[in-house]
Amino acid sequence: MSALPPGSVIGMLGGGQLGRLMALEAARLGYDVHTFCPEPRSPAARVSSAETVADYTNDAALKAFAGACDVVSYEFENVPAAAVAAIESVGVPVRPGVAALENSQDRKVEKEFLNSIEVPTVAFESVHSPENIQPAVEKLGGAGILKRRRMGYDGKGQARVEAGDDMAAAWTALGSAPCILEAMAPFKLEISAIVARGLSGEIAAFEPSENGHANGILRASHVPASIRDETRTRAIASATRLAEALDYVGVIALEFFVLDDETLIANEFAPRVHNSGHWTPEACATGQFEQHIRAVAGLPLGDPTRLFDAQMDNLLGDEAETAFGGPGVTHYGKREAKAGRKMGHVTRRLGPAT
Ligand code: ADP
Ligand code: MG
């Protein structure tokens, strides 16, 4: 398994900020990035060397794109598995592979998979009609979070429900789609463990960050997290087990609820670089975007050691305009600042690592 030589082309399915930040690191390492995204001139495409504008179900476009690439990766988890198959059919590897997509696109499959590798999650019930909701709420102790199985992100596609609520209304509000009902996790804080797995199976783990959410959307991450060292070790061990079980190549993120006694309950995982790792380029010897490119290109992984204490704040909606050009600000170059939309982030170093 040899590394891609300089000038090789890394294909990127998706055109958002994660793809943009990976493309910049790919360029620095000496690679070209070719994006594939349904919207023209995406944030990632505008810093890449080539762009395909087509739908993820366009088989001919996927094959032509693959033919122009040496390896293909993705920057969001809702790429259809069939798109990966189309790319692989022309002999181009997709890293990470399809198992990571299949096990993260559906919240029920995801939770069953995590539990099967002894990474515990909250209790949950499967919901396929509005009549299922009330009995499921009662079974889980009178309250829970109803989540669409597919296509939810940033707190979208989920709603809190309590016994006696109008379940038909909750079902309709979530689009009358298959759901799970999750028990509420009584957490004291949330953390995420982000690890990279290289082409030859080596693991490089970032230190878990502590994450604050508002309305289901990440607002801030900071390191060090206020947890015991032993808890950090357990979180990294679970993320490592997940990467190994998926035969994963690239950066993967596993989110946890931390209970009062520091029991870890996994929430969800993302088969990609993660918003809660946006502090890593400024605070670690190697950042998550470079690390992902290194892994998919078959380069040795970089050193993930944390050098600084740091705080990363997301810039949502018009916050990015106010902060624009300030120290530590990364702007995503999105054209339209809708309320609540992730437009950028700012990372502050708080001093040498403690
Ligand atoms: P998304 O895919 O939108 O990120 P998550 O399932 O991660 O959805 O939910 C977003 C946030 O909502 C979580 O980070 C957490 O703060 C809160 N949340 C989600 N599920 C639960 C739960 N079962 N118990 C308590 N809080 C939850
Ligand atoms: Mg989440």
Side-chain angles (χ1 to χ4, degrees), residues 235-254:
I236 291 169
S238 289
T240 300
R241 196 148 70 243
L242 172 63
E244 286 172 348
L246 293 168
D247 194 20
Y248 196 86
V249 177
V251 167
I252 190 166
L254 179 56

Side-chain angles (χ1 to χ4, degrees), residues 206-207 279-287 303-308 349:
F206 292 107
E207 188 178 309
W279 54 275
T280 56
E282 285 82 7
C284 298
T286 308
D303 173 9
T305 303
R306 182 169 72 80
L307 306 172
F308 297 95
R349 289 177 179 160

Side-chain angles (χ1 to χ4, degrees), residues 9 23 70 77 83 92 100 129 134 148 153 155 166 170 173 181 195 203 214 220 246 263 286 290 297 327 333-334 345:
V9 179
D70 296 292
E77 57 273 40
V92 175
S129 83
Q134 186 63 38
R148 279 178 67 110
Y153 71 101
D166 181 350
L181 183 79
V195 305
I203 294 279
L246 293 168
T263 298
T286 308
E290 173 180 347
K334 294 181 184 173
H345 65 267

Side-chain angles (χ1 to χ4, degrees), residues 127-342:
V127 168
H128 28 84
S129 83
E131 290 74 39
N132 295 152
I133 306 174
Q134 186 63 38
V137 170
E138 279 158 25
K139 213 164 158 188
L140 295 179
I145 303 191
L146 190 64
K147 298 183 182 178
R148 279 178 67 110
R149 282 172 60 173
R150 291 182 171 272
M151 296 291 186
Y153 71 101
D154 288 348
K156 296 184 177 74
Q158 49 180 281
R160 280 202 60 164
V161 288
E162 282 174 28
D165 283 357
D166 181 350
M167 302 307 180
W171 173 258
T172 316
L174 295 187
S176 307
C179 287
I180 57 169
L181 183 79
E182 289 185 20
M184 294 296 301
F187 62 82
K188 69 168 176 184
L189 52 90
E190 292 183 86
I191 62 167
S192 53
I194 302 180
V195 305
R197 186 165 179 269
L199 198 51
S200 48
E202 76 275 26
I203 294 279
F206 292 107
E207 188 178 309
S209 64
E210 182 170 336
N211 308 322
H213 296 83
N215 304 320
I217 187 165
L218 184 73
R219 287 296 337 206
S221 293
H222 70 91
V223 275
S226 23
I227 51 175
R228 299 193 293 264
D229 281 343
E230 165 269 327
T231 309
R232 278 183 252 285
T233 306
R234 273 188 289 126
I236 291 169
S238 289
T240 300
R241 196 148 70 243
L242 172 63
E244 286 172 348
L246 293 168
D247 194 20
Y248 196 86
V249 177
V251 167
I252 190 166
L254 179 56
E255 300 176 11
F256 296 96
F257 303 120
V258 184
L259 308 189
D260 281 333
D261 65 356
E262 300 207 1
T263 298
L264 292 176
I265 306 287
N267 172 22
E268 61 173 355
F269 74 90
R272 50 171 169 77
V273 292
H274 197 254
N275 193 170
S276 67
H278 284 4
W279 54 275
T280 56
E282 285 82 7
C284 298
T286 308
Q288 64 167 350
F289 308 104
E290 173 180 347
Q291 198 74 300
H292 185 83
I293 296 296
R294 287 183 161 278
V296 304
L299 290 173
L301 297 179
D303 173 9
T305 303
R306 182 169 72 80
L307 306 172
F308 297 95
D309 287 3
Q311 162 90 21
M312 186 284 305
D313 290 282
N314 271 342
L315 300 170
L316 305 180
D318 54 18
E319 289 167 4
E321 203 180 302
T322 316
F324 178 74
V329 172
T330 297
H331 195 283
Y332 303 153
K334 294 181 184 173
R335 303 291 197 214
E336 215 192 325
K338 287 187 209 134
R341 189 177 193 202
K342 290 175 178 172

Side-chain angles (χ1 to χ4, degrees), residues 34 44 74 175 182:
H34 184 149
Y74 45 84
E182 289 185 20

